[in-house]
Amino acid sequence: MPTSSDNGILLSPSIIASDLSTMGRDVAAFDPAAFDLLHLDVMDGNFVPNLTFGPGYIKSLKAHTAIPFDIHLMIERPELSLESYLDLAPWCVTIHYESTRFPSRLLQIIRRAGVRAGLSVNPATPLEAIHDLCSECDLVLVMSVDPGFYGQPFMTAALDRIRRLREYLDALRGGSSTLIQVDGGISMKNIASVAGAGARIIVAGNAVFGADDPNRAALDLKRAARNDQ
Ligand code: DX5
Ligand code: ZN
């Protein structure tokens, strides 16, 4: 696991850009050297317009792979179903700041379950809104698109947001080990810039699964991310 001070990049390919109906078989072919995490986009058709899958699907998938799960909850009021995701013992569970009135309490519940706690911010949410919650998070997910769909273009304003957040975290007393994750529109063109700005966990949907060879594409992305360090 990288810390804020090393150059380690974790790539987290997002499976919604793939064929979900065959994922149980496909996942066995993913190269763990390229697929550090599996990014699982849970969408409820309410917080975001799209609807994907829930804990049942994720549980089935778990039987087919040892790659750690990075669960991104894009659901209204995650407090109502959080436990069912924590029961799956994922690598992290990320909630959206905008989806609940109790982000602090939920982050504490996630950590108490022995799972890394992530807090995500939409592009329209001022970063200052989550500053006081950073000490409760293991990672902050800076969205570089409005959540809901894969294959959207990267919002370049995210670069400055990542940089400002990293500066804020580093300036905290003793520095902060909170990692920055970025999600949305990542490609070979921008991955070095997001890594250079301070993102350490990088989600990629279309750039991995839109390629003929997802393993090759994921390895290329990781290599490109490191070049800018
Ligand atoms: C967007 C999702 C992303 C998405 C990423 O709502 O949270 O994880 O699947 O896909 P790309 O990389 O294609 O934007
Ligand atoms: Zn996501």
Side-chain angles (χ1 to χ4, degrees):
M1 155 129 191
T3 66
S4 59
S5 57
D6 71 25
N7 291 341
I9 294 288
L10 294 178
L11 191 74
S12 188
S14 168
I15 67 164
I16 62 160
S18 178
D19 183 346
L20 294 175
S21 70
T22 56
M23 189 48 61
R25 278 201 307 277
D26 299 345
V27 79
F30 296 162
D31 178 359
F35 285 62
D36 297 298
L37 301 168
L38 267 193
H39 186 79
L40 303 173
D41 286 309
V42 179
M43 303 186 186
D44 65 352
N46 190 13
F47 180 68
V48 290
N50 203 358
L51 190 60
T52 56
F53 45 73
Y57 177 87
I58 298 174
K59 188 176 179 191
S60 306
L61 198 56
K62 203 177 168 186
H64 297 276
T65 182
I67 298 174
F69 287 174
D70 158 23
I71 299 181
H72 179 189
L73 295 181
M74 284 161 280
I75 61 179
E76 209 55 66
R77 301 182 69 199
E79 54 270 28
L80 300 180
S81 57
L82 188 57
E83 296 293 343
S84 54
Y85 297 95
L86 295 175
D87 286 347
L88 303 172
W91 190 85
C92 70
V93 169
T94 297
I95 58 165
H96 265 263
Y97 168 76
E98 304 84 2
S99 68
T100 176
R101 276 180 286 146
F102 316 108
S104 174
R105 179 153 76 232
L106 299 190
L107 293 167
Q108 288 170 29
I109 290 172
I110 297 170
R111 276 186 160 175
R112 234 181 283 132
V115 175
R116 290 174 187 80
L119 184 63
S120 183
V121 268
N122 280 340
T125 301
L127 280 179
E128 290 71 21
I130 58 129
H131 274 180
D132 291 344
L133 296 172
C134 286
S135 61
E136 320 251 24
C137 314
D138 298 294
L139 67 93
V140 173
L141 169 49
V142 176
M143 290 303 300
S144 41
V145 297
D146 264 337
F149 303 95
Y150 70 88
Q152 303 180 79
F154 178 78
M155 295 170 68
T156 49
L159 285 176
D160 188 50
R161 283 164 66 79
I162 293 167
R163 237 176 261 125
R164 282 189 286 124
L165 181 60
R166 190 66 262 162
E167 278 168 19
Y168 172 79
L169 291 169
D170 288 343
L172 291 177
R173 190 138 52 107
S176 166
S177 59
T178 303
L179 296 170
I180 298 178
Q181 181 173 31
V182 61
D183 184 6
I186 298 301
S187 70
M188 287 295 281
K189 287 201 186 105
N190 55 35
I191 195 165
S193 310
V194 298
R200 287 291 168 268
I201 309 170
I202 302 181
V203 179
N206 208 36
V208 170
F209 293 108
D212 291 337
D213 181 347
N215 282 332
R216 172 92 269 139
L219 281 171
D220 286 348
L221 283 164
K222 280 188 78 170
R223 224 170 278 133
R226 289 200 192 99
N227 279 345
D228 195 49
Q229 298 298 307

